[in-house]
Amino acid sequence: MANKVTGEILEKSDFTVSDMVRLLSIDDGKETSLLYEKAYEIKTRFVGRTVYLRGLIEMGNICEKNCLYCGIRKGNRAVERYIMSEDEILDAARLAWECGYGSVVLQSGEMRSEKYSRFIEKVIRKIQGFCGWRMGITLSLGEQTADVYRRWFDAGAHRYLLRIETSDRDLYGMLHPAKYGFERRVECLRNLKDIGYMTGTGVIIGLPGQTAEQLVRDVLFFKDIDADMIGMGPYIPHHNTPMARSMNDFNAVKRNQLDLALRMIALTRIVLRDVNIASATALQAIDDEGRELGILAGANVIMPNVTPVRYRRGYQLYDNKPCLDENESVCRGRLEMRIRELGEEIGYNQWGDSPHYDTRKISANYRRTER
């Protein structure tokens, strides 16, 4: 009977909130398979069976913010802080380019200063210089002013990931000190879209006290903000954060965290259809094949780490992060083999923009012409 109810929901063209809560709350293997099969079928239809690889460069772990869940929060004095030099970042970007990754992701703790803005601007221009403006550049550098976002866009970045973490204002307030306002983050997402970025957001899945309905509201937030790409993963505590105390025995719940995250990927794919969805490294932190499971649940982007090995231990947002000591070629070879075993192609030397972004750009250009 349960399988029949799940099947009937999945045949609908539009879900109610209660439908989505029901899908996120599945705990039966056959029902879960129905959900993943539907998500994979929609993924195949709208974005194809190609996995796009983004070379992830974790440029630095210095952060001005003190978010309660994050291992590189300003208040964590046990972290050895670093920021990569311009040459080190460029070398990592060249490695990604030579590996055939059509894009890189420049990620760091959140910093805001004119010196830092100029540094990032210069790095972006130099990356585009050595590859002839043929590399996609995604930034994940937190909240900045609209002017800074525009400068980085003009320099050659065209994607930006700014996770909302949760669209529930009360839960957002529990994750962040009071001075880090929810509305400010939403404003940044709107600025990014207005400037022309392929705009991404996402949430933490399985936070202490989080409900299935809150996660459903997150999916609706993605839709309302008209996001082009989604990056989200399961909550995994970092031992040196205030929130770690709220989940004392993570091993007892980690499988549930993984399963909930996979269901969230599947639901997001079914509802948003033509966006890019990343299969997060945090999935692999729970299960060695977690990222591959994410692909089967509807994701189509993976971000192999090309950060120099000597810096990786300094960029642990959560405990048990994988591939800390393995060089990039070892991780890449294993990942490529697994992707092919799934029957997926790898989008080498391609930007892999989401079809949603392309459609949104065409629509925006049409509206401007009509005026």
Side-chain angles (χ1 to χ4, degrees):
M1 180 65 181
N3 291 349
K4 182 179 179 182
V5 172
T6 299
E8 289 174 351
I9 292 173
L10 291 172
E11 288 303 314
K12 293 183 177 182
S13 57
D14 288 302
F15 296 153
T16 65
V17 170
S18 61
D19 288 336
M20 290 189 276
V21 169
R22 172 76 175 78
L23 293 174
L24 271 187
S25 304
I26 289 171
D27 60 3
D28 174 83
K30 290 183 179 179
E31 288 184 273
T32 303
S33 294
L34 289 175
L35 176 65
Y36 295 164
E37 287 167 9
K38 181 68 173 182
Y40 194 78
E41 179 249 310
I42 288 176
K43 177 181 93 93
T44 301
R45 192 182 345 150
F46 285 91
V47 300
R49 295 180 65 178
T50 300
V51 177
Y52 297 102
L53 304 180
R54 321 281 197 221
L56 175 63
I57 306 173
E58 296 161 336
M59 301 185 303
N61 65 356
I62 299 170
C63 191
E64 297 176 353
K65 288 196 168 182
N66 218 10
C67 304
L68 274 64
Y69 56 87
C70 182
I72 64 169
R73 64 194 302 267
K74 183 179 180 181
N76 185 0
R77 297 182 180 178
V79 175
E80 184 177 347
R81 303 292 174 173
Y82 75 90
I83 184 164
M84 290 169 59
S85 70
E86 177 185 311
D87 287 343
E88 288 173 323
I89 297 168
L90 294 175
D91 286 345
R94 285 191 188 94
L95 174 60
W97 178 250
E98 290 164 3
C99 288
Y101 304 160
S103 300
V104 290
V105 180
L106 305 182
Q107 185 177 72
S108 79
E110 189 162 324
M111 299 170 63
R112 286 171 292 183
S113 71
E114 178 56 26
K115 180 180 178 182
Y116 181 70
S117 299
R118 286 198 307 269
F119 174 73
I120 298 300
E121 193 173 359
K122 185 178 180 183
V123 165
I124 293 168
R125 291 188 187 280
K126 289 202 169 184
I127 290 173
Q128 294 294 20
F130 75 68
C131 69
W133 286 73
R134 289 178 292 164
M135 179 173 275
I137 297 179
T138 303
L139 303 179
S140 183
L141 305 175
E143 297 173 14
Q144 307 287 340
T145 66
D147 177 64
V148 168
Y149 286 148
R150 188 171 292 106
R151 285 165 54 186
W152 291 347
F153 184 82
D154 291 343
H158 86 291
R159 301 190 193 104
Y160 205 104
L161 176 63
L162 183 67
R163 299 199 332 179
I164 195 69
E165 307 301 11
T166 175
S167 63
D168 185 277
R169 283 173 170 77
D170 292 337
L171 187 54
Y172 190 94
M174 291 172 59
L175 300 179
H176 305 93
K179 62 181 178 179
Y180 308 150
F182 177 84
E183 291 300 336
R184 168 61 182 154
R185 206 158 183 87
V186 174
E187 179 188 8
C188 285
L189 285 167
R190 292 193 177 114
N191 287 339
L192 289 163
K193 284 189 62 186
D194 289 345
I195 290 165
Y197 280 96
M198 177 176 163
T199 304
T201 191
V203 295
I204 306 173
I205 302 162
L207 288 161
Q210 189 179 49
T211 66
E213 182 165 346
Q214 285 171 327
L215 287 169
V216 165
R217 299 293 179 189
D218 291 336
V219 176
L220 296 175
F221 173 85
F222 302 157
K223 187 174 183 180
D224 182 61
I225 204 136
D226 205 15
D228 304 303
M229 57 185 188
I230 306 297
M232 56 187 175
Y235 171 64
I236 302 174
H238 186 285
H239 65 279
N240 230 347
T241 61
M243 272 189 61
R245 293 189 292 273
S246 60
M247 194 175 280
N248 293 324
D249 188 4
F250 180 71
N251 286 330
V253 300
K254 67 179 184 179
R255 187 69 216 187
N256 292 336
Q257 294 289 93
L258 175 64
D259 291 343
L260 179 59
L262 294 173
R263 292 196 299 273
M264 185 69 170
I265 288 172
L267 180 63
T268 302
R269 171 58 68 199
I270 293 168
V271 174
L272 271 62
R273 296 181 179 265
D274 59 352
V275 301
N276 278 353
I277 301 177
S279 190
T281 304
L283 298 171
Q284 188 185 2
I286 297 177
D287 186 306
D288 188 47
E289 296 185 0
R291 289 187 299 184
E292 293 77 29
L293 294 173
I295 296 298
L296 293 175
N300 67 319
V301 171
I302 290 179
M303 297 184 288
N305 199 332
V306 296
T307 307
V309 171
R310 64 183 173 277
Y311 291 123
R312 293 188 193 179
R313 288 194 176 276
Y315 203 90
Q316 295 190 65
L317 309 184
Y318 49 83
D319 288 342
N320 302 316
K321 184 179 177 182
C323 281
L324 292 178
D325 298 316
E326 292 183 342
N327 66 44
E328 195 281 332
S329 62
V330 172
C331 291
R332 182 180 76 246
R334 192 176 300 155
L335 176 62
E336 290 174 347
M337 178 183 69
R338 288 176 171 176
I339 291 172
R340 290 197 174 99
E341 286 175 349
L342 298 177
E344 297 270 319
E345 297 180 359
I346 300 174
Y348 286 119
N349 301 307
Q350 299 178 49
W351 282 16
D353 283 348
S354 74
H356 186 86
Y357 176 61
D358 293 335
T359 301
R360 186 165 64 77
K361 284 197 303 181
I362 292 169
S363 177
N365 289 336
Y366 176 78
R367 287 195 299 271
R368 281 195 291 270
T369 302
E370 284 293 288
R371 292 194 192 109

